[in-house]
Amino acid sequence: MARILLTSGPTRQYIDPVRYLTNASSGRMGCSLAEAAVAAGHEVVIVSGPVTVTYPAEATVHWVNTTDEMLAVAQEQFEHCDGLIGVAAPCDYRPEFVQGQKIAKTGQPLVLQLIETPDVVATLGAAKKHRWVVGFALETEDRRFRALVKLEKKSCDLMILNGPEAMNSEENHVEVLAKDGSVVATLEGSKPEVASQIMHIVDERLIQA
């Protein structure tokens, strides 16, 4: 049995007290992976952004809003875990300045200065030591090449490649990529079906290896 850290869902980066930047991640894939991991007999710790899915009761869930919060909580929890499945879709940018009051409409264009947020999986991967890391890459062009670059940059042991059609969808189509660039598997179906197959590969190649 392994103790698995799983990041899930989107994050939010506020531009004022009521408006924020985010993405369409639903948390369904994270939820499905948590269910598959629990079914396989593993202990699951989830760090999740705001979602409406219901995670398995057997999992421990830590709720966060921003990418910085997700990273901070994930770093704390990773210390006590055997591996990470980074399926969350953290917001990649945040406003350089967050307005203290609601921004009023003026009839003129609004210019936002955005800066990058920290990369959660890359930061955890750089400090993984004896632990394993599985990343997710959502790409729109040069998909496999970009995913393999991310696999190396983020110190992942496996990278799950999918596309924007996975966002807020009931189904998924993924490629599981290994460090040597090979395609371990191509999986398609409902997110629970795909998650179960991914978990089997993780079990076989990383946990029981």
Side-chain angles (χ1 to χ4, degrees), residues 54-165:
T54 302
Y55 293 115
E58 299 88 343
T60 301
V61 184
H62 299 270
W63 296 100
V64 297
N65 275 306
T66 70
T67 301
D68 283 290
E69 289 171 357
M70 178 171 281
L71 175 58
V73 176
Q75 283 178 308
E76 181 181 320
Q77 295 302 316
F78 196 40
E79 288 295 319
H80 312 289
C81 292
D82 301 302
L84 163 72
I85 302 178
V87 65
C91 200
D92 293 325
Y93 294 92
R94 65 172 178 83
E96 187 172 11
F97 303 104
V98 179
Q99 300 298 320
Q101 304 296 326
K102 181 183 175 185
I103 301 169
K105 293 174 72 173
T106 64
Q108 298 299 314
L110 175 66
V111 178
L112 291 176
Q113 189 73 25
L114 302 179
I115 57 177
E116 288 188 2
T117 55
D119 190 304
V120 175
V121 173
T123 304
L124 296 176
K128 70 177 185 179
K129 300 176 184 175
H130 59 281
R131 293 161 293 190
W132 49 265
V133 173
V134 177
F136 270 68
L138 189 152
E139 305 296 340
T140 59
E141 58 181 343
D142 298 328
R143 293 187 180 189
R144 192 176 297 167
F145 172 76
R146 288 175 182 264
L148 288 171
V149 169
K150 285 184 176 180
L151 186 152
E152 184 174 351
K153 287 178 66 176
K154 300 186 181 193
S155 306
C156 293
D157 298 281
L158 292 172
M159 181 63 75
I160 315 300
L161 168 62
N162 57 15
E165 61 277 359

Side-chain angles (χ1 to χ4, degrees), residues 1-5 42-45 60 77 80-83 132:
M1 184 188 81
R3 193 165 199 261
I4 300 172
L5 173 62
H42 301 301
E43 185 179 351
V44 180
V45 179
T60 301
Q77 295 302 316
H80 312 289
C81 292
D82 301 302
W132 49 265

